Amino acid sequence: VSTQSTGNCPQAALEPQHKCGCHCSRRVPPLLILASSDSSLESAMADEPLLKYENDNPNGLLEIERLDQLRAPQERCLAQLKSELDADLAQAPPFEEVRGDVRLLRFLRATKYDVMESAQMFRTMMAWRKSADIDAIRNDIVNRNLCQRTLPGYQEFTEAFPVRFFFGQDKEGNPVCRDMLGQFNPKECSLSEDNLQRFWIYHLEFRMLLLDRLSREHNRMMLVYEIKDLEGVGLGQLWSCKPVLQKLAKINTTYYVETTRRVAVINLPGIFQALYTAAKPFIPERSKAKIKIIDESDQNEIVISEDMCLDSFHATEPVFDARPTPPVVIPAGTFKTPPGTPPHVKCNRTDLDVNEFRKAMVDLGIVYAEDLESRYQ
């Protein structure tokens, strides 16, 4: 593999942890080990590199996987990861967004397709899910078909940390998340530390359900386009948010890997522009490729419009249905039973309970619960 050279040491091509004192002492991807004993695979790998980058720029972003057109090296890595995790997958809950191909590919992306490291990350995630009973949170979201605004703790969280979770989509179909960092005020948060973390896990489980659904709908890996709005932010303010943000970020980077497509930073105060300019030489090229810094506020719309329509950029309400099971859209002028609708249960109209009827409307995704509450208050 051209990007994982082992120098002139033949032993490094056979042992993933081989160290001989020369520059070949880097970990070699397990797929290369397999290739050393499989001439057909070796030939295929010679023709097609394991890692490919957008615009063929090795310092750029990794290409987005096409789920229906995985390249041969990607398919082989995925197959090897499944084989390594055979016993773990057999005991995992039957949730696609937890154990399906899309989630496994995220671990492979995070490790640049290192199968053994990906397997360890998956096992760490599954152990945490079991110990913290994360499946109960996931099931609550699915069973009640929650939207981002009905997640437990959403109102309290967004009052202190104004964030627009998945209100819009970029031109690729990736959901957009916009953080108004200048309005963050942890002192105003009424949630306890435990409930704050619990809401964040609700949000992350919702995020994975959404990304998995969109990935399968679009037949490509879907990620989140994040907008960091720094208008009004100060160093003291960020410092006061640091303990909370660091704790929440650790959950992201450990258990919910490879979910960010791009980060656009807008409305930078002068001090942050100076800090970024000073730090830029030390930021890895691949990290810089994912970050889009917009220096001038009057350029926000011009630059952002390259990636998404302005309705998504300015959205203050969701412009698409992000729930796990969005309602089925029936074309105008037709009438039929939507797929997956439960069998009709005949009942005497006089025996119909209004509250049960309203609940059924919510469960079927016909209306939002809050819409009914506002109408019948």
Side-chain angles (χ1 to χ4, degrees):
V1 181
S2 60
T3 56
Q4 298 287 339
S5 172
T6 59
N8 298 318
C9 178
Q11 190 67 16
L14 301 175
E15 298 180 16
Q17 301 295 342
H18 167 70
K19 294 181 182 291
C20 66
C22 68
H23 64 283
C24 70
S25 60
R26 299 162 57 188
R27 176 159 50 195
V28 180
L31 192 59
L32 185 56
I33 305 168
L34 183 60
S36 66
S37 59
D38 186 333
S39 59
S40 63
L41 177 58
E42 188 174 10
S43 175
M45 292 294 289
D47 296 333
E48 190 168 11
L50 177 59
L51 302 176
K52 288 191 71 175
Y53 297 87
E54 293 184 357
N55 302 319
D56 294 323
N57 176 11
N59 291 322
L61 299 175
L62 276 176
E63 69 170 359
I64 296 298
E65 289 82 353
R66 293 284 310 181
L67 304 183
D68 56 346
Q69 298 176 8
L70 287 178
R71 295 184 296 104
Q74 294 172 331
E75 287 185 341
R76 291 180 183 275
C77 276
L78 181 59
Q80 189 180 359
L81 179 58
K82 286 181 175 179
S83 177
E84 172 65 26
L85 292 173
D86 186 54
D88 304 89
L89 294 173
Q91 299 177 15
F95 306 145
E96 277 295 310
E97 77 283 355
V98 174
R99 51 158 295 165
D101 286 0
V102 176
R103 191 63 176 268
L104 295 180
L105 283 168
R106 294 189 192 279
F107 286 109
L108 287 170
R109 280 179 64 88
T111 62
K112 293 189 173 66
Y113 280 78
D114 184 316
V115 172
M116 299 309 295
E117 186 176 350
S118 299
Q120 183 54 51
M121 292 178 71
F122 180 85
R123 291 180 178 124
T124 299
M125 176 196 72
M126 294 306 297
W128 171 73
R129 292 186 70 89
K130 184 176 181 179
S131 65
D133 197 16
I134 303 302
D135 288 348
I137 292 177
R138 181 263 180 200
N139 290 335
D140 185 41
I141 296 171
V142 172
N143 293 339
R144 293 200 285 155
N145 201 25
L146 299 178
C147 69
Q148 53 270 59
R149 296 177 300 176
T150 55
L151 296 176
Y154 171 86
Q155 187 65 36
E156 294 86 350
F157 181 89
T158 54
E159 285 176 355
F161 304 95
V163 179
R164 299 172 188 171
F165 291 116
F166 322 126
F167 282 8
Q169 290 176 283
D170 69 8
K171 292 180 180 179
E172 295 178 341
N174 300 302
V176 176
C177 181
R178 182 168 178 172
D179 304 346
M180 276 66 74
L181 292 167
Q183 300 175 39
F184 277 22
N185 187 356
K187 294 180 180 178
E188 294 296 321
C189 187
S190 59
L191 293 172
S192 66
E193 185 173 333
D194 288 343
N195 285 336
L196 179 65
Q197 181 171 301
R198 183 173 176 79
F199 164 76
W200 193 247
I201 295 172
Y202 259 96
H203 149 253
L204 292 174
E205 285 295 297
F206 183 91
R207 182 187 186 109
M208 299 312 298
L209 283 160
L210 174 61
L211 290 179
D212 186 76
R213 171 168 73 81
L214 293 177
S215 295
R216 287 184 282 111
E217 289 176 358
H218 291 262
N219 257 324
R220 64 187 296 277
M221 179 74 72
M222 303 298 282
L223 303 109
V224 175
Y225 191 116
E226 298 188 6
I227 300 174
K228 306 297 183 183
D229 190 340
L230 300 187
E231 183 176 7
V233 75
L235 288 176
Q237 179 188 27
L238 280 187
W239 187 258
S240 67
C241 295
K242 182 181 175 182
V244 174
L245 298 181
Q246 279 186 328
K247 190 169 186 177
L248 300 183
K250 185 177 181 180
I251 300 174
N252 291 43
T253 56
T254 306
Y255 310 117
Y256 299 90
V257 299
E258 279 300 308
T259 63
T260 301
R261 172 63 167 154
R262 185 178 293 282
V263 178
V265 184
I266 64 175
N267 299 323
L268 270 76
I271 182 63
F272 285 94
Q273 291 186 19
L275 289 173
Y276 180 74
T277 300
K280 194 172 181 178
F282 305 99
I283 301 175
E285 290 296 325
R286 289 170 190 151
S287 297
K288 284 193 286 189
K290 188 177 286 190
I291 301 172
K292 179 177 285 191
I293 302 291
I294 306 176
D295 296 326
E296 303 295 334
S297 59
D298 60 359
Q299 296 295 306
N300 287 343
E301 292 189 351
I302 296 173
V303 177
I304 289 291
S305 63
E306 298 171 359
D307 299 327
M308 69 186 71
C309 69
L310 294 181
D311 286 345
S312 286
F313 176 56
H314 292 299
T316 57
E317 293 290 332
V319 299
F320 76 106
D321 199 323
R323 291 177 294 173
T325 308
V328 177
V329 178
I330 301 176
T334 65
F335 180 81
K336 63 179 180 179
T337 302
T341 300
H344 176 64
V345 179
K346 293 183 179 180
C347 66
N348 186 327
R349 188 181 180 89
T350 59
D351 295 335
L352 183 64
D353 185 286
V354 175
N355 291 326
E356 289 185 6
F357 176 71
R358 293 175 185 171
K359 182 178 183 299
M361 297 273 282
V362 173
D363 291 344
L364 289 172
I366 298 172
V367 295
Y368 285 117
E370 59 266 32
D371 293 338
L372 280 179
E373 291 171 2
S374 62
R375 176 171 295 185
Y376 292 103
Q377 281 181 349

